[in-house]
Amino acid sequence: FGTAEYSALISTTRGAEKLPVLLHFDPGTLDLDADARAYVTGQAGAIRQYLSAGASVIFVGHTDYTGDVAKNRAISLNRALAVRAAFEAVGVFGLEVEGAGEICPAGDNQTDAGRNLNRRVEIWVRPSAPPAPQPS
């Protein structure tokens, strides 16, 4: 995994927890599928609360392994941007994005079902850092 994408993903998600949701897209598009759109609408308040508490919320886009590596990196970033735009459309701002490309698959890239699982955006939350101790 010694790729630039993997290093960026590790750096971006260090100290963060992945929420148990994967946002998927209509096939061949950057359009959120119906379940993802419903999640955005239903969870906007919860994501806003994380941000209000000082947490970082990071959307990490992923692709399957078909196609060019550089193109997959761009697609994964565009997927994360699409999710951020969906949350911004419902008034949630201050969200971070990262594109991981084809690294870290969630499914078997040898099957259609696995490739569909890999075309996703994960949501990571990093709590705010506690204040540094003050010298006495």
Side-chain angles (χ1 to χ4, degrees), residues 28-125:
T29 74
L30 293 175
D31 299 326
L32 294 164
D33 68 13
D35 289 341
R37 289 190 305 272
Y39 180 86
V40 169
T41 302
Q43 295 300 310
I47 298 298
R48 193 177 292 111
Q49 285 181 335
Y50 284 123
L51 294 167
S52 294
S56 298
V57 177
I58 309 120
F59 299 133
V60 179
H62 295 269
T63 64
D64 61 29
Y65 79 132
T66 58
D68 178 71
V69 172
K71 186 176 177 183
N72 284 343
R73 170 87 172 161
I75 290 168
S76 68
L77 181 59
N78 285 331
R79 286 185 175 143
L81 289 167
V83 171
R84 181 171 73 184
F87 273 99
E88 288 175 346
V90 294
V92 181
F93 298 93
L95 305 158
E96 300 176 32
V97 296
E98 180 63 61
E102 58 197 43
I103 63 168
C104 302
D108 182 355
N109 271 310
Q110 302 300 317
T111 67
D112 286 340
R115 287 189 295 276
N116 284 336
L117 285 174
N118 294 334
R119 299 176 195 129
R120 70 196 189 280
V121 170
E122 299 171 343
I123 302 174
W124 291 76
V125 177

